[in-house]
Amino acid sequence: MGLLRRIRSAESSVAGLDTSDLDPGRWGTTVISFSSCSVCDRAVELGGLHPVWISLRVATDVLPLLVNACSAQCVAELPPPPEGYVQSAHTGGRVGQPSADRD
């Protein structure tokens, strides 16, 4: 694997995770406060939490966005990223970025 860890798949759920008492070393926060899926607006508790990162163009910029999805189906329905960015939703870690084509 070298210096970069592999991107963790967006397919796994953290169903049953107590989002009110998290390990900040792993999650970056002690509490995740939300009530609905970022994609379909259903309650997240129905299918478990699927937190994934995506890259999305907003006006002239491309922003990293954290999506709190309720299911793998909602993760699959996320918009594709722009060219030159990680081409799938992922759970973070050290992510190998596509190389830039610069002259």
Side-chain angles (χ1 to χ4, degrees):
M1 285 197 305
L3 295 176
L4 295 179
R5 291 182 286 164
R6 292 183 160 256
I7 298 174
R8 290 174 284 181
S9 168
E11 313 247 332
S12 63
S13 168
V14 288
L17 177 70
D18 180 1
T19 58
S20 65
D21 185 26
L22 300 172
D23 173 9
R26 176 165 185 210
W27 298 99
T29 186
T30 56
V31 176
I32 298 174
S33 177
F34 56 87
S35 60
S36 62
C37 176
S38 301
V39 180
C40 72
D41 209 31
R42 286 185 301 198
V44 172
E45 296 79 27
L46 294 176
L49 175 65
H50 294 256
V52 295
W53 289 96
I54 64 170
S55 298
L56 188 65
R57 182 169 303 283
V58 177
T60 60
D61 298 316
V62 176
L63 304 176
L65 300 176
L66 178 61
V67 175
N68 286 314
C70 69
S71 67
Q73 179 181 357
C74 281
V75 171
E77 294 192 25
L78 291 169
E83 280 188 45
Y85 290 83
V86 175
Q87 291 297 299
S88 63
H90 59 87
T91 59
R94 291 185 179 209
V95 178
Q97 296 289 329
S99 61
D101 293 330
R102 296 183 186 193
D103 294 326

